[in-house]
Amino acid sequence: MLFHPPKNPVELKIRHLNDAQKQRREDLMEATQGKAALKQFKKAKQALKAKTKNKKKHTDDKAQVFVLDFDGDIKATAVKHLREEISTLISTANKGDEVIVRLESGGGLVHGYGLAAAQLVRLKDAGLKLTVCVDKVAASGGYMMACVADKVVAAPFAIIGSIGVVSQLPNFHKWLKNHDVDYEMFTAGDYKRTVTVFGENDAEDRAKYQEELEQTHELFKHFVNTYRPALDVAKVATGEHWYGEDALKLNLIDSLQTSDSYILERMEDNEVYALYSRQKPTLAEKLGLAQAAEATLSMAVDKLPDALARFDLNSRLNILK
């Protein structure tokens, strides 16, 4: 696609959900009621279509709906596909069209989710209506993305919120000291490094690091308040999360509904298209060789602990001899 380097080509697939739903309905009708009932149903549909044949399938005053998916990990790596899909929509969709993002994420790195949220802002800047649907979780960085939407829809038990910042790391200074290992670090700038994994952290280091976390939290709260001004940010920016029903009462979301239900509603009066982008499979993947190698490696990893245990047991037996 447009912004991916040639070495990492991405392909975009588009699925017309109205047609897919129609096909499933007809398959079920044929299986449960027989071919005669299906034939009669199709005949009635054709008669209805003939009465309205002068109407266009899509007119300027009838918005199209596009569905995107974002399944976020800690690095928000799915943004590499999201940005391509959004760029395609911006260049082809009409103002007033709706984009539904089915979002699932428990959050992650600030800069990764900051970029993902900024990609969603592009849709609104282009005059498109943005709806975010959350079926399971949109917390922390996930909620940073969701709050951008014109409308946030969540399932009753979806996890919402967690407007906070967390950072944790181990410190091996005492262990190194006990083993007579020196650790040296050289920096230019008073705060180039504050707390570290191997160095000895003092009160000033910890205070500066905490200050940086607080600054990030303030940016997060300001971002949420910008896109949901009616939300009492001070009340919800405690790092807590809420289930859908409580999130609705707190104004973190706008309605309770699953993404499936919402999309079916939109399909009643609109043409709905789902966009899927993925890395183009290599020749090995097309032939199934990559999957076979991965399965073999997985099997070897699974058997490794038993093999090591047997080796250890045999070694001890040899020593006892």
Side-chain angles (χ1 to χ4, degrees), residues 48-114:
L48 179 63
K49 186 177 180 181
K51 292 180 181 180
T52 58
K53 63 180 181 180
N54 60 328
K55 294 184 178 180
K56 293 182 180 179
K57 186 178 181 180
H58 170 71
T59 57
D60 293 338
D61 59 347
K62 183 178 179 181
Q64 296 182 102
V65 179
F66 302 94
V67 180
L68 307 180
D69 287 284
F70 185 91
D71 188 4
D73 57 16
I74 194 169
K75 293 183 179 180
T77 53
V79 73
K80 69 180 180 181
H81 294 296
L82 181 69
R83 67 199 302 178
E84 296 280 1
E85 294 161 359
I86 288 175
S87 294
T88 301
L89 284 178
I90 289 175
S91 63
T92 56
N94 299 312
K95 288 188 176 181
D97 285 349
E98 181 179 3
V99 179
I100 300 172
V101 178
R102 293 184 289 201
L103 172 64
E104 301 293 342
S105 176
L109 299 178
V110 174
H111 57 278
Y113 278 90

Side-chain angles (χ1 to χ4, degrees), residues 5-305:
K7 290 184 178 180
N8 299 295
V10 171
E11 59 183 0
L12 178 67
K13 293 185 177 296
I14 302 170
R15 187 182 184 196
H16 189 194
L17 297 186
N18 301 69
D19 287 346
Q21 184 69 7
K22 175 185 175 184
Q23 185 60 52
R24 289 177 181 175
R25 182 170 59 246
E26 292 179 355
D27 290 344
L28 181 59
M29 181 175 291
E30 182 178 357
T32 57
Q33 302 179 35
K35 292 183 178 180
L38 177 60
K39 186 176 181 180
Q40 186 176 0
F41 173 76
K42 287 184 176 180
K43 187 176 180 180
K45 292 285 288 185
Q46 289 175 352
L48 179 63
K49 186 177 180 181
K51 292 180 181 180
T52 58
K53 63 180 181 180
N54 60 328
K55 294 184 178 180
K56 293 182 180 179
K57 186 178 181 180
H58 170 71
T59 57
D60 293 338
D61 59 347
K62 183 178 179 181
Q64 296 182 102
V65 179
F66 302 94
V67 180
L68 307 180
D69 287 284
F70 185 91
D71 188 4
D73 57 16
I74 194 169
K75 293 183 179 180
T77 53
V79 73
K80 69 180 180 181
H81 294 296
L82 181 69
R83 67 199 302 178
E84 296 280 1
E85 294 161 359
I86 288 175
S87 294
T88 301
L89 284 178
I90 289 175
S91 63
T92 56
N94 299 312
K95 288 188 176 181
D97 285 349
E98 181 179 3
V99 179
I100 300 172
V101 178
R102 293 184 289 201
L103 172 64
E104 301 293 342
S105 176
L109 299 178
V110 174
H111 57 278
Y113 278 90
L115 175 59
Q119 295 296 333
L120 297 185
V121 172
R122 293 174 60 205
L123 291 169
K124 297 183 66 175
D125 290 343
L128 301 176
K129 179 184 177 182
L130 175 61
T131 301
V132 166
C133 292
V134 184
D135 288 324
K136 294 180 180 179
V137 56
S140 196
Y143 188 72
M144 178 185 286
M145 293 179 65
C147 74
V148 172
D150 298 295
K151 183 178 183 180
V152 182
V153 179
F157 285 93
I159 295 173
I160 305 294
S162 190
I163 303 173
V165 184
V166 62
S167 178
Q168 54 189 354
L169 70 163
N171 183 265
F172 296 97
H173 173 70
K174 290 182 179 179
W175 185 87
L176 294 175
K177 187 176 181 180
N178 290 337
H179 289 78
D180 296 323
V181 178
D182 291 331
Y183 173 76
E184 296 182 73
M185 179 174 60
F186 304 91
T187 63
D190 293 340
Y191 300 115
K192 181 61 179 177
R193 286 291 182 272
T194 51
V195 296
T196 68
V197 174
F198 299 109
E200 182 177 9
N201 299 318
D202 56 26
E204 183 180 359
D205 294 330
R206 297 187 183 94
K208 180 59 179 176
Y209 196 70
Q210 183 64 42
E211 179 186 336
E212 292 171 351
L213 290 182
E214 296 293 345
Q215 289 174 346
T216 304
H217 191 209
E218 288 300 320
L219 288 173
F220 191 176
K221 291 192 292 183
H222 176 71
F223 186 86
V224 172
N225 189 59
T226 299
Y227 291 99
R228 292 191 73 87
L231 178 64
D232 186 353
V233 175
K235 185 176 181 179
V236 298
T238 58
E240 299 171 88
H241 68 266
W242 293 268
Y243 291 111
E245 292 189 0
D246 291 331
L248 180 62
K249 295 175 184 177
L250 292 169
N251 202 32
L252 286 161
I253 63 174
D254 300 297
S255 64
L256 291 173
Q257 197 173 12
T258 64
S259 63
D260 311 278
S261 176
Y262 183 77
I263 291 172
L264 281 173
E265 284 184 3
R266 305 303 291 140
M267 287 169 59
E268 292 179 3
D269 300 310
N270 301 273
E271 301 301 320
V272 182
Y273 303 88
L275 278 67
Y276 307 93
S277 61
R278 64 168 186 169
Q279 201 86 16
K280 282 189 176 180
T282 63
L283 178 60
E285 289 172 336
K286 289 180 180 178
L287 296 175
L289 299 178
Q291 291 86 338
E294 184 178 351
T296 302
L297 178 60
S298 177
M299 185 181 299
V301 170
D302 290 340
K303 292 183 177 180
L304 183 60

